[in-house]
């Protein structure tokens, strides 16, 4: 397994052996449907031989001998063959098409399941639209492996082989004369597919990038409109679309050339059959019926070979999708990384940072030798200017990243030694920008506890001061919040998120600017609920309003990735350092706003 990270600079080498291995694994997994499809295909192809060969019998035996009985039997055989071919063709499309769609659905589930278990650092370096493309678009191509594509390819090859046998029987010399152009055609197909494969792979990459940009554009539509950036976004998207168009144009050119080559082969073979076969008929070494039958069977040889150009392109595209999926599935998930780590049946909540240093980019430290102790059940507040390292500390506590130096220790065990899924079951979080799913209010609150009763959901909503505004909606708790909670105000979203965290009943609670979107009245009402929530839990608070953390057991003042002051509110005020300066300035600002809000508005305006 390779660790997930940003896309490599060099293009990965295509591993044809492994690609075929994955294709075989898919076929084996769906072998029942594929086997039924192959049997139906063989019956269909065999029945397709009846009418062409009947032509020889009609021209060479029934008509010259005026044998109406034989003609009737030939017609009946042709009718039966036609019915069989029609029924098997219909059944074939039904069986393999359903199997292909089932395989696509299953692969999408597997890829999505693997994707969401990758470490957070992978998502930090990859656009969401790219990931959506990998889950939704890349598996589409396998319908040509499990579905009609591979069956048609196999059927075409077998039909060509069978027809070649008939041709050898009819006139082996004429057949050998047609082999050379067919061999040239096969060689051309091999070269074409080899060159088309990387182009199809590149198409998937470009399409994922274009989809990613479109996803970002739609997600940031308000920002785009505020800054009138519609034309810029259109230009960026247009450049991506043009790259995609140029890639598709290359594949169209390639497939067109293969089709042209196929038509050329058909023409050359036709000339050979016309001249050599016609000469044999004139010399009496070949009957007219045999010549016409030969022409029909030549078509049965060349038509499948020409169709291989289209089917082969589809299968090549499927391999390109499998190749990209394999890259994703090769990345180690958190579960795989945690296989040998310690189970976490319970968490008391004693958290300690032991000489922790961290950097996102090599040589650019974000945290420098941070050490502190947060006993179980205590509240630790993190204070400091933007970029001081507060959010990074929170990210490390949630195990979204691991420090380059030192340890984060929980109940005496480094987090790096704990199974993350077990550990995170004991975490609760309320962020500054809380994410809500496009569902009901009830669904979003109950997200942390599947199966929670309506009474439990209402109880935590009341603690979070959310119950009253929820009951004011026409649909109350069944109100749809919209994508990312867009139908709720910022304060409403935050209170729903707080209720969600309360319902989780975590041992370690993280409040990252949890009341930043609340007005003063709502904040005052919710503080009591948060105070009850923090009781008995180890809580970490990042607070913009310092007045909300005066009851914290310890306050850590961060500057440039280091703890410059620590203590209780009273101790830090008495110290007269950085914290007191921050507190006094904020207190004075709040006083100014309260006493003369008009001047403050004018000053900031």
């Amino acid at each position: 397994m390779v660790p997930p990270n940003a896309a490599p600079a060099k293009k990965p080498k295509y591993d044809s052996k492994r690609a075929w291995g994955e294709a075989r694994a898919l076929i084996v997994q769906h072998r029942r449907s594929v086997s039924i499809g192959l049997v139906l295909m063989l019956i269909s192809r065999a029945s397709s031989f009846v009418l062409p060969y009947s032509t020889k019998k009609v021209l060479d035996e029934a008509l010259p001998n005026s044998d109406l009985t034989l003609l009737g039997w030939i017609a009946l055989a042709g009718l039966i063959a036609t019915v069989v071919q029609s029924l098997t063709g219909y059944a074939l499309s039904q069986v393999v098409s359903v199997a292909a769609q089932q395989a696509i659905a299953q692969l999408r589930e597997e890829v999505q399941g693997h994707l969401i278990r990758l470490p957070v650092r992978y998502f930090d370096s990859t656009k969401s639209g790219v990931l959506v493309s990998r889950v939704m678009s890349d598996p589409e191509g396998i319908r040509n492996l499990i579905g009609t594509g591979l069956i048609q390819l196999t059927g075409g090859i077998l039909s060509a082989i069978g027809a070649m046998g008939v041709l050898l029987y009819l006139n082996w010399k004429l057949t050998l004369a047609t082999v050379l152009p067919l061999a040239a055609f096969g060689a051309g197909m091999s070269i074409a597919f080899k060159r088309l494969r990387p182009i199809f792979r590149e198409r998937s990459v470009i399409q994922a990038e274009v989809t990613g940009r479109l996803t970002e554009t739609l997600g940031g539509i308000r920002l785009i409109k505020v800054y009138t950036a519609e034309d810029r976004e259109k230009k960026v998207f247009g450049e991506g679309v043009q790259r995609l168009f140029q890639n598709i144009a290359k594949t169209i050119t390639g497939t067109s050339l293969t089709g042209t080559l196929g038509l050329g082969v058909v023409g050359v073979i036709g000339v050979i059959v016309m001249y050599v076969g016609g000469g044999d008929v004139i010399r009496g070494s070949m009957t007219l019926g045999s010549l016409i039958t030969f022409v029909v069977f030549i078509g049965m040889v060349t038509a499948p070979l020409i169709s291989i150009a289209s089917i082969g392109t589809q299968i090549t595209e499927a391999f390109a999708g499998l190749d990209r999926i394999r890259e994703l599935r090769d990345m180690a998930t958190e579960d795989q990384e945690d296989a040998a780590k310690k189970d976490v049946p319970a968490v008391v909540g004693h958290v300690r940072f032991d000489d922790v240093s961290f950097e996102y980019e090599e040589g650019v430290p974000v945290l420098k030798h941070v050490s502190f102790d947060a006993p179980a059940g205590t509240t630790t507040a993190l204070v400091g200017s933007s970029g001081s390292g507060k959010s990074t500390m929170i990210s490390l506590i949630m195990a979204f990243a691991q420090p380059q130096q030192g340890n984060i220790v929980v109940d005496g065990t480094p987090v790096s030694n704990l199974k993350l899924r077990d550990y995170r079951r004991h975490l609760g979080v309320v962020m500054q920008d809380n994410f809500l799913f496009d569902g009901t209010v009830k669904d979003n609150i109950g997200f942390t506890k599947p199966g929670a009763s309506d009474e439990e959901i209402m109880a935590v909503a009341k603690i979070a001061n959310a119950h009253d505004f929820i009951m004011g909606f026409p649909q109350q708790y069944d109100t749809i919040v919209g994508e990312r909670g867009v139908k709720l105000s910022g304060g409403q979203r935050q209170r729903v998120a707080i209720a969600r965290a309360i319902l989780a009943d975590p041992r370690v609670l993280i409040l990252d600017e949890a009341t930043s979107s609340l007005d003063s009245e709502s904040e005052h009402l919710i503080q009591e609920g948060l105070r009850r929530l923090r009781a008995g839990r180890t809580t970490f608070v990042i607070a913009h309003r310092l007045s909300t953390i005066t009851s914290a057991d310890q306050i850590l003042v961060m500057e440039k990735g280091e703890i410059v002051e620590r203590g209780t509110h009273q101790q830090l005020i008495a110290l007269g350092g950085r914290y007191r300066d921050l507190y006094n300035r904020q207190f004075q600002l709040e006083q100014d706003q309260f006493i003369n809000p008009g001047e403050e508005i004018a000053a900031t305006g």
Side-chain angles (χ1 to χ4, degrees):
M1 291 291 178
V2 294
N5 44 35
K10 295 182 179 180
K11 292 183 179 180
K13 185 178 179 181
Y14 179 79
D15 189 344
S16 59
K17 184 177 180 180
R18 188 169 178 182
W20 276 108
E22 291 169 350
R24 283 196 299 271
L26 275 172
I27 293 169
V28 169
Q29 185 178 0
H30 299 275
R31 57 187 176 275
R32 182 175 178 272
S33 298
V34 173
S35 298
I36 294 173
L38 285 172
V39 170
L40 290 171
M41 179 273 300
L42 288 173
I43 295 172
S44 177
R45 295 288 179 170
S47 61
S48 69
F49 278 50
V50 174
L51 276 177
Y53 197 76
S54 297
T55 305
K56 175 177 170 58
K57 293 291 184 180
V58 170
L59 293 176
D60 291 346
E61 298 179 25
L63 294 183
N65 299 322
S66 301
D67 191 340
L68 291 175
T69 302
L70 178 60
L71 187 64
W73 282 112
I74 293 173
L76 179 61
L79 178 61
I80 293 172
T82 300
V83 172
V84 169
Q85 191 174 3
S86 299
L87 292 176
T88 52
Y90 173 77
L92 175 64
S93 64
Q94 289 295 302
V95 170
V96 297
S97 296
V98 171
Q101 291 303 319
Q102 182 183 25
I104 291 171
Q106 184 176 344
L107 186 56
R108 280 176 177 157
E109 290 180 16
E110 292 174 358
V111 174
Q112 189 266 358
H114 184 89
L115 175 66
I116 60 176
R117 293 185 185 279
L118 292 177
V120 172
R121 62 181 180 273
Y122 175 71
F123 298 91
D124 291 340
S125 62
T126 310
K127 292 181 179 180
S128 58
V130 172
L131 301 179
V132 169
S133 177
R134 288 202 169 188
V135 174
M136 297 304 296
S137 300
D138 287 347
E140 278 284 344
I142 69 169
R143 70 180 182 275
N144 296 310
L145 295 175
I146 309 301
T148 55
L150 185 63
I151 301 293
Q152 288 174 352
L153 180 63
T154 304
I157 293 173
L158 291 177
S159 292
I161 293 172
M164 185 65 71
V166 175
L167 292 175
L168 288 170
Y169 170 75
L170 292 172
N171 190 325
W172 65 271
K173 291 181 180 180
L174 182 58
T175 301
L176 292 178
T178 63
V179 167
L180 187 61
L182 287 174
F185 179 72
M189 290 295 98
S190 177
I191 295 171
F193 293 153
K194 185 175 181 180
R195 293 187 177 181
L196 284 173
R197 184 177 293 121
I199 299 176
F200 276 113
R201 178 179 171 79
E202 184 184 12
R203 179 192 296 184
S204 299
V205 174
I206 297 172
Q207 187 152 359
E209 291 175 355
V210 173
T211 303
R213 186 65 186 193
L214 179 60
T215 303
E216 287 183 336
T217 300
L218 298 177
I221 190 65
R222 288 170 174 78
L223 186 67
I224 290 170
K225 288 186 175 296
V226 166
Y227 291 104
T228 61
E230 291 93 341
D231 290 340
R232 280 178 283 160
E233 284 302 309
K234 180 181 177 182
K235 181 180 178 182
V236 172
F237 182 73
E239 290 172 352
V241 169
Q242 286 302 311
R243 286 176 59 211
L244 184 61
F245 160 72
Q246 290 167 5
N247 178 277
I248 294 173
K250 289 180 183 177
T251 59
I252 291 174
T253 300
T255 53
S256 297
L257 286 174
T258 57
T260 301
L261 177 61
L263 291 174
V265 168
V266 171
V268 171
I269 291 175
V271 170
I272 293 172
V273 170
M274 184 187 303
Y275 181 77
V276 177
D280 286 344
V281 171
I282 291 173
R283 288 187 292 270
S285 59
M286 189 178 189
T287 65
L288 180 61
S290 295
L291 177 62
I292 293 175
T293 303
F294 191 96
V295 171
V296 174
F297 274 93
I298 275 290
M300 293 183 68
V301 172
T302 55
L305 293 179
I306 293 174
S307 68
I308 288 174
S310 173
I311 299 170
T313 299
Q314 295 170 3
I315 292 177
T316 297
E317 190 173 359
F319 278 130
L322 282 176
D323 199 28
R324 282 166 47 79
I325 289 172
R326 185 190 70 243
E327 286 180 9
L328 186 66
R329 297 173 83 171
D330 277 349
M331 296 178 183
T333 64
E334 288 181 332
D335 290 347
Q336 291 167 329
E337 293 178 349
D338 290 353
K341 293 182 180 179
K342 185 178 178 180
D343 292 335
V344 190
V347 167
V348 176
H350 187 175
V351 179
R352 188 177 81 251
F353 270 52
D354 185 7
D355 193 32
V356 171
S357 295
F358 180 81
E359 52 190 40
Y360 292 103
E361 298 180 15
E362 187 174 354
V364 185
V366 179
L367 296 179
K368 308 171 188 175
H369 306 289
V370 173
S371 296
F372 68 89
D373 191 69
T378 63
T379 296
T380 299
L382 306 177
V383 176
S385 56
S386 177
S388 61
K390 304 184 301 297
S391 295
T392 299
M393 290 174 66
I394 293 299
S395 182
L396 291 174
I397 293 170
M398 292 188 289
F400 290 158
Q402 295 294 335
Q404 281 81 18
Q405 177 181 326
N407 286 305
I408 296 97
V409 181
V410 176
D411 298 341
T413 303
V415 171
S416 58
N417 293 339
L418 300 177
K419 288 188 176 179
L420 297 184
R421 283 172 61 81
D422 289 353
Y423 168 62
R424 288 180 182 147
R425 286 193 181 99
H426 303 284
L427 298 180
V429 60
V430 181
M431 308 297 284
Q432 183 176 6
D433 181 20
N434 286 290
F435 183 93
L436 299 184
F437 292 93
D438 185 12
T440 65
V441 173
K442 181 171 66 176
D443 291 340
N444 275 281
I445 294 177
F447 183 78
T448 55
K449 187 180 179 181
S453 66
D454 292 349
E455 291 73 18
E456 289 177 294
I457 290 173
M458 286 185 183
V460 296
K462 289 176 181 177
I463 295 174
N465 193 30
H467 179 73
D468 290 343
F469 81 75
I470 293 172
M471 294 303 291
F473 294 140
Q475 301 298 319
Q476 298 178 352
Y477 280 83
D478 290 323
T479 299
I480 301 296
V481 303
E483 186 177 4
R484 301 183 70 90
V486 70
K487 295 182 180 179
L488 304 182
S489 69
Q492 289 171 338
R493 285 197 300 272
Q494 209 143 23
R495 279 176 274 179
V496 169
I498 290 171
R500 180 170 62 190
I502 296 171
L503 186 63
D505 192 22
R507 302 312 307 157
V508 178
L509 177 65
I510 294 167
L511 305 174
D512 185 356
E513 302 281 11
T515 60
S516 62
S517 297
L518 303 178
D519 54 56
S520 298
E521 181 180 358
S522 296
E523 182 182 6
H524 175 73
L525 291 171
I526 208 173
Q527 282 300 331
E528 182 58 33
L530 289 175
R531 196 170 290 114
R532 291 199 299 269
L533 171 62
R534 294 200 308 263
R537 295 181 173 85
T538 305
T539 305
F540 293 90
V541 182
I542 295 179
H544 173 68
R545 297 173 184 171
L546 301 185
S547 58
T548 63
I549 60 169
T550 55
S551 62
D553 296 286
Q554 67 173 335
I555 299 172
L556 306 179
V557 183
M558 302 290 300
E559 289 298 336
K560 297 181 180 178
E562 298 178 292
I563 299 176
V564 295
E565 293 176 7
R566 70 181 75 202
T568 64
H569 171 73
Q570 291 79 9
Q571 290 170 340
L572 293 176
I573 290 294
L575 184 63
R578 176 64 173 157
Y579 178 79
R580 180 172 176 174
D581 182 49
L582 290 171
Y583 186 82
N584 286 343
R585 268 195 276 174
Q586 192 173 102
F587 180 77
Q588 185 61 47
L589 179 62
E590 290 174 355
Q591 287 294 103
D592 290 344
Q593 289 176 327
F594 177 75
I595 294 172
N596 202 342
E599 289 184 6
E600 178 63 29
I601 293 171
T604 56

